């Protein structure tokens, strides 16, 4: 019996971190033409899953070695090396405390990721002439990413000390306005000191000016950490370009926290002493006795998720939790032309256009998997069968895919720094790398219905190229758009095995009531190089039925 071909749907993976494998080859494919007037209906569900990747030299791993899918999110001490959007917070705390060696640390973080994509393409192939057939494949894609984030241990004892950070949530970040009373007292006290230094009792003006100069740096520093400099322009802490509120502050009991607490107590005591002197002169200075509450607990897993996903935070992304999508994939339309159909050799050439109908991964979700590239591709393929004997033949195919550029919104960041702030969003031009693939599958016929095949599949895709639509974005963000192309090249090899049951031979001899074939196959990626290549396993079931149209 002859086996028929089925165009397979796209196997999707993490965008930017993982290059998108294109047009995976299906076991059981051959170069037999669809006869004129025959409609072949194809249902070809497949399931791909992966939790590791062949890396591109992540620290601690050799280039091309298998590494966990979430390795770029992991750290024993999550700091500004990974969370660069917290660099200004670290600098401000160093300046305030005088601790030049202070390193902001959120503690240990581990992100375990398991990705799987299920594609159910419904296909139709119609034989138009003896040599020409037309096809249409409409895939329904279900993508799922299971995420488990292990953050710092919240225990304050020795058991958790090794994994805790040295900062916790700013009370004003958790509860807007929580430190407003402190900020209002700072405003009132500093303005009063300025007034007294210029127009107060002459004997106390020098002390008022000295106290103002001494306490203003700390008070204004805490003022901005507590809620930024957005306020009345009459405030002595007002800045034309206000600092953003810090989402985290040093923990009470740490070196930085104790230093801030001691400095604040010292400056409040100095101000209170001056306030007593002014009271003796009959002048009432405003009170400055509100506490500046430092956090007393480090962030845990829930805290990390809130820091990353809070819309008021610098990252303002989606939470690192499970994601499930079920949507239309990229529709494929194609034509096949039969070059040869001889007893010992069959050959055909096919052209496939992949339409931008799928959904991309979200620019605000750091671990999302889309259901398609949502951009136009054109693939040219050749398929050839060499029939060596009545029970043995070899299928050999080659494919080349040209991918066209599109525009989309991305967070501009290197591949190894996935925590990109909301401010890094920009409209970019994306040009996915073209790809080439080679498929070689020896097949053995066991009897008039069953056959088996063992396949070798090579795939190579060039790196994706990015550029800004608005060149001014490079200055605003501080990075070239080309960093998005890091680790997007793909080279991989897969081995596969499949078994096919076909009634076509029996149907032609009137020994079967329906003409159909069923192929079950399994593929495994055993080698990858060039970028962050998924170590994917793919199970596919291809069902083909035939009906005469004329």
């Amino acid at each position: 019996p002859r086996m028929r071909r089925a165009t397979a749907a796209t196997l999707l993976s993490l965008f930017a971190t993982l290059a998108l494998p294109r047009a995976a080859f299906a076991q059981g494919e051959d170069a037999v033409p669809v006869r004129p007037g025959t409609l072949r209906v194809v249902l070809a569900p497949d399931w791909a899953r992966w939790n590791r990747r062949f890396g591109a030299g992540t620290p601690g791993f050799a280039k091309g070695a298998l590494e966990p899918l979430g390795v770029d999110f992991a750290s024993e001490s999550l700091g500004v090396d990974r969370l660069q959007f917290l660099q200004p917070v670290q600098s401000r705390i160093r300046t305030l405390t005088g601790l030049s060696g202070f390193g902001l640390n959120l503690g240990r973080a581990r992100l375990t990721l398991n990705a799987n994509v299920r594609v159910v393409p419904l296909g139709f192939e119609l034989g138009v002439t003896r040599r020409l057939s037309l096809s249409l494949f409409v895939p329904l894609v279900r993508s799922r990413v299971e995420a488990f984030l292990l953050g710092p241990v919240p225990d304050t004892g020795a058991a958790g000390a090794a994994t805790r950070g040295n900062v916790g949530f700013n009370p004003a970040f958790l509860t807007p306005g929580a430190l407003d009373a402190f900020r209002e007292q700072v405003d009132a006290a500093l303005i009063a000191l300025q007034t007294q230094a210029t127009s107060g009792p002459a004997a106390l003006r020098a002390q008022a000016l000295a106290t103002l100069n001494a306490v203003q740096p700390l008070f204004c520093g805490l003022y901005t950490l507590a809620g930024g400099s957005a306020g009345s322009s009459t405030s002595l802490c007002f800045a034309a370009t206000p600092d953003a509120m810090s989402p985290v502050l040093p923990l009470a009991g740490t070196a930085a926290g104790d230093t801030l607490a001691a400095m604040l107590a010292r400056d409040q005591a100095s101000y209170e002493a001056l306030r007593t002197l002014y009271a003796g002169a009959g002048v009432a200075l405003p009170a400055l006795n509100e506490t500046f509450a430092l956090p007393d607990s480090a962030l845990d897993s829930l805290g990390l998720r809130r820091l990353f996903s809070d819309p008021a935070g610098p990252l303002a992304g989606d939470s690192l939790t499970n994601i499930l999508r079920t949507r239309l994939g990229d529709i494929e339309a194609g034509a096949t032309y039969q070059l040869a159909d001889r007893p010992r050799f069959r050959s055909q050439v096919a052209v496939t256009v992949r339409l931008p109908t799928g959904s991309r991964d979200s620019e605000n979700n750091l671990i999302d998997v889309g259901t398609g590239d949502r951009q136009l591709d054109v693939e040219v393929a050749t398929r050839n069968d060499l029939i060596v004997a009545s029970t043995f033949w070899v299928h050999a195919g080659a494919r080349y895919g040209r991918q066209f550029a599109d525009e989309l919104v991305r967070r501009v960041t290197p591949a190894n720094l996935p925590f990109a702030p909301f401010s890094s969003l920009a409209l970019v031009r994306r040009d996915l790398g073209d790809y080439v693939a080679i498929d070689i599958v020896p097949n053995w016929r066991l009897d008039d219905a069953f056959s088996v095949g063992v396949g070798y599949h090579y795939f190579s895709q060039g790196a994706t190229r990015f550029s800004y639509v608005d060149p001014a974005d490079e200055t605003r963000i501080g990075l070239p758009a080309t960093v998005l192309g890091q680790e997007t090249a793909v080279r991989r090899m897969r081995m596969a095995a499949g078994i096919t049951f076909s009634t076509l031979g029996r149907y032609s001899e009137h020994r079967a009531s329906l003409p159909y074939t069923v192929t079950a196959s399994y593929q495994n990626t055993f080698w990858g190089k060039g970028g962050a290549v998924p170590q994917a396993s793919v199970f596919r079931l291809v069902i083909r039925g035939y009906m005469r149209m004329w």
Side-chain angles (χ1 to χ4, degrees):
R2 301 178 186 178
M3 295 184 296
R4 307 276 178 155
R5 80 169 177 85
T7 304
T10 304
L11 171 63
L12 303 171
S13 65
L14 295 179
F15 175 78
T17 305
L18 305 177
L20 293 167
R22 307 295 308 184
F25 179 88
Q27 290 289 117
E29 186 168 353
D30 63 18
V32 176
V34 179
R35 300 306 178 188
T38 298
L39 177 67
R40 178 161 59 192
V41 181
V42 181
L43 182 64
D46 66 47
W47 178 38
R49 64 174 301 274
W50 63 97
N51 56 22
R52 297 189 297 174
R53 69 186 193 186
F54 295 96
T58 302
F61 295 88
K63 190 172 183 178
L66 283 173
E67 56 192 34
L69 200 56
V71 67
D72 289 331
F73 297 86
S75 177
E76 285 300 319
S77 55
L78 194 60
V80 298
D81 57 331
R82 296 292 181 88
L83 307 177
Q84 295 189 347
F85 58 87
L86 291 178
Q87 179 70 57
V89 176
Q90 177 176 279
S91 298
R92 287 154 66 188
I93 293 173
R94 285 180 174 181
T95 299
L96 274 181
T97 61
L99 301 175
S100 59
F102 170 76
L104 187 150
N105 172 22
L106 298 182
R108 184 183 67 184
R110 288 284 184 272
L111 182 65
T112 301
L113 296 176
N114 291 282
N116 65 79
V117 176
R118 299 180 186 182
V119 183
V120 183
L122 180 61
F124 303 91
E125 298 175 273
L126 177 65
V128 180
T129 69
R130 185 173 60 87
R131 292 183 180 272
L132 178 66
S133 62
L134 303 177
S135 63
L136 178 68
F137 282 79
V138 180
L140 182 65
V141 181
R142 180 181 184 271
S143 63
R144 180 182 177 89
V145 179
E146 298 171 347
F148 177 72
L149 178 65
L150 176 63
V153 176
D155 176 21
T156 57
T163 64
R164 287 199 317 275
N166 58 8
V167 294
F169 272 128
N170 182 345
F173 180 80
L174 294 178
T175 307
L179 296 176
D180 280 358
F182 172 83
R183 297 175 71 225
E184 289 169 2
Q185 284 195 354
V186 165
D187 268 343
L190 294 181
I191 291 173
L193 287 175
Q194 185 183 55
T195 300
Q196 295 304 320
T198 58
S199 59
L204 296 175
R205 289 179 187 177
Q207 287 179 270
L209 181 60
T211 302
L212 175 63
N213 291 335
V215 303
Q216 185 176 0
L218 177 66
F219 286 165
C220 284
L222 295 176
Y223 179 102
T224 56
L225 285 174
S229 298
S232 170
S233 59
T234 61
S235 168
L236 295 188
C237 296
F238 178 82
T241 305
D243 293 321
M245 178 179 61
S246 171
V248 294
L249 292 174
L251 284 175
T254 63
D258 288 347
T259 298
L260 282 179
M263 292 173 66
L264 180 59
R266 179 201 65 200
D267 286 0
Q268 282 181 321
S270 175
Y271 176 80
E272 187 60 29
L274 183 64
R275 186 167 174 260
T276 301
L277 289 177
Y278 268 92
V283 178
L285 293 183
L288 183 50
N289 51 18
E290 277 289 335
T291 60
F292 184 90
L294 291 173
D296 56 10
S297 60
L299 275 64
D300 56 10
S301 300
L302 291 177
L304 281 180
R305 286 196 183 94
R306 174 160 185 177
L307 176 65
F308 299 149
S309 63
D310 195 297
L315 196 66
D318 290 342
S319 183
L320 295 175
T321 54
N322 295 350
I323 307 166
L324 178 63
R325 290 171 174 262
T326 302
R327 296 182 184 174
L328 186 67
D330 291 334
I331 294 174
E332 298 179 354
T336 300
Y337 187 79
Q338 195 74 26
L339 301 175
D341 187 15
R342 297 192 289 270
R344 292 290 182 179
F345 180 70
R346 296 185 293 261
S347 179
Q348 57 187 209
V349 62
V351 177
T352 300
V353 177
R354 194 170 293 109
L355 304 175
T357 55
S359 62
R360 301 188 185 106
D361 60 303
S362 169
E363 66 273 11
N364 291 322
N365 195 305
L366 308 183
I367 58 173
D368 193 17
V369 176
T371 65
D373 282 339
R374 199 174 179 81
Q375 47 78 234
L376 185 66
D377 304 340
V378 175
E379 179 183 284
V380 178
T382 178
R383 305 181 183 93
N384 306 278
D385 293 339
L386 178 63
I387 296 89
V388 179
S390 60
T391 59
F392 178 73
W393 74 98
V394 178
H395 177 85
R399 296 170 285 138
Y400 171 77
R402 172 77 172 88
Q403 307 201 76
F404 294 90
D406 65 343
E407 294 181 358
L408 72 168
V409 176
R410 294 285 95 176
R411 294 188 182 221
V412 181
T413 185
N416 64 329
L417 297 175
F419 298 104
F422 185 78
S423 60
S424 68
L425 281 171
L427 181 65
V428 297
R429 184 178 185 272
R430 176 184 66 167
D431 189 0
L432 291 166
D434 297 342
Y435 62 89
V436 63
I438 298 172
D439 308 298
I440 300 174
V441 185
N443 295 273
W444 292 265
R445 187 173 70 177
L446 305 180
D447 58 22
D448 65 347
F450 285 96
S451 60
V452 296
V454 177
Y456 166 81
H457 309 292
Y458 174 80
F459 180 91
S460 177
Q461 179 176 319
T464 305
R465 297 178 293 277
F466 290 90
S467 60
Y468 288 112
V469 173
D470 181 358
D473 282 334
E474 182 167 352
T475 301
R476 176 178 64 85
I477 293 174
L479 288 172
T482 53
V483 300
L484 290 170
Q486 295 176 0
E487 299 185 14
T488 56
V490 171
R491 282 188 291 159
R492 69 159 190 254
M493 298 183 194
R494 287 179 177 172
M495 291 299 295
I499 183 169
T500 297
F501 174 78
S502 172
T503 67
L504 300 183
R506 296 178 180 180
Y507 182 80
S508 64
E509 297 172 358
H510 305 289
R511 295 190 296 120
S513 57
L514 295 173
Y516 65 90
T517 67
V518 179
T519 300
S521 64
Y522 174 80
Q523 298 185 16
N524 183 261
T525 310
F526 68 90
W527 179 87
K529 196 172 183 180
V533 182
Q535 199 266 320
S537 298
V538 185
F539 175 78
R540 177 176 290 113
L541 183 67
V542 182
I543 304 171
R544 309 174 182 91
Y546 300 79
M547 62 180 67
R548 295 291 299 181
M549 304 301 294
W550 66 79

